[in-house]
Amino acid sequence: MRYLVANWKSHKTLTEGQHWLEQFTSLFTSQEITVILAASYIQLAALKDLARSKGLSLAAQDISPFPDGAYTGAVSARQLQDLVNYVLVGHSERRHWFHETHQDIANKIDQALNSNLNPILCVDTPYASAQFAAISPHHWPRLIIAYEPLAAISSGDPQNPQAANQVAADIKKTLGDSVPVLYGGSTTPANVADLLSQPYLAGILVGQASLDPHLFAQIVKHSL
Ligand code: PGA
């Protein structure tokens, strides 16, 4: 099964998000691909029913490293449990702007898995091994990896598909062959098919091009 993840980042009001979902679901029909919408926390409750009825999954873009408790502003795994099936963890923007460490991210993965949420762990090659080492090997088979080379993110300059495939192969050698590895970084309808023709890539994480429902529907079409 292939995965296509739309990562809206800090974009879209509640109304804009609902409008996107109505437009996208009028264009999207396939059951052959897992489409996951990573929206802001504020969107999730409002999008849940329509997303489910149309066969789309929701993801949170982040999760608390702590359980329920006195952690003002944080959203715990248990709070997310009836809203989403997936959660992005360790996106490079979280590492950069919010100074998240490998250990913070490992704690988030613990929280997600304890609540049966599927973590999509974002990594780049310079720190992937250190990040994996901070996570209990017992958890490795339950991860989904998004390999996102920093230079490719929102730069208009995606990595070449063969190089991305080689990194995916190396990641699977470490974590296990059954761990899906997605690629993220400047994907568009024009380059998605080439990326997904690579044997070790199981999907795509899309940022900028996911903001327009028509463009994202084109990406889905080219992924089938
Ligand atoms: P991009 O973003 O598709 O805009 O490069 C990918 C990401 O940051 O997840």
Side-chain angles (χ1 to χ4, degrees), residues 63-132:
I63 189 169
S64 176
F66 300 107
D68 287 3
Y71 305 102
T72 301
V75 178
S76 72
R78 204 180 67 85
Q79 290 177 298
L80 286 171
Q81 226 175 10
D82 58 358
L83 292 172
V84 301
N85 293 317
Y86 297 89
V87 57
L88 298 185
V89 182
H91 191 281
S92 57
E93 290 150 13
R94 302 284 325 163
R95 296 175 191 267
H96 178 71
W97 297 109
F98 301 93
H99 311 292
E100 289 186 7
T101 65
H102 300 324
Q103 189 55 54
D104 294 332
I105 290 160
N107 294 342
K108 290 178 180 207
I109 286 171
D110 284 346
Q111 291 300 320
L113 290 174
N114 285 341
S115 288
N116 283 319
L117 299 174
N118 299 298
I120 302 172
L121 169 64
C122 304
V123 290
D124 190 7
T125 42
Y127 55 82
S129 310
Q131 178 62 80
F132 298 152

Side-chain angles (χ1 to χ4, degrees), residues 7 9 91 93 148 152-155 184-187 205-209:
N7 177 13
K9 310 188 178 185
H91 191 281
E93 290 150 13
E148 300 207 294
I153 294 182
S154 299
S155 64
S186 297
T187 47
L205 200 161
V206 186
Q208 191 62 36

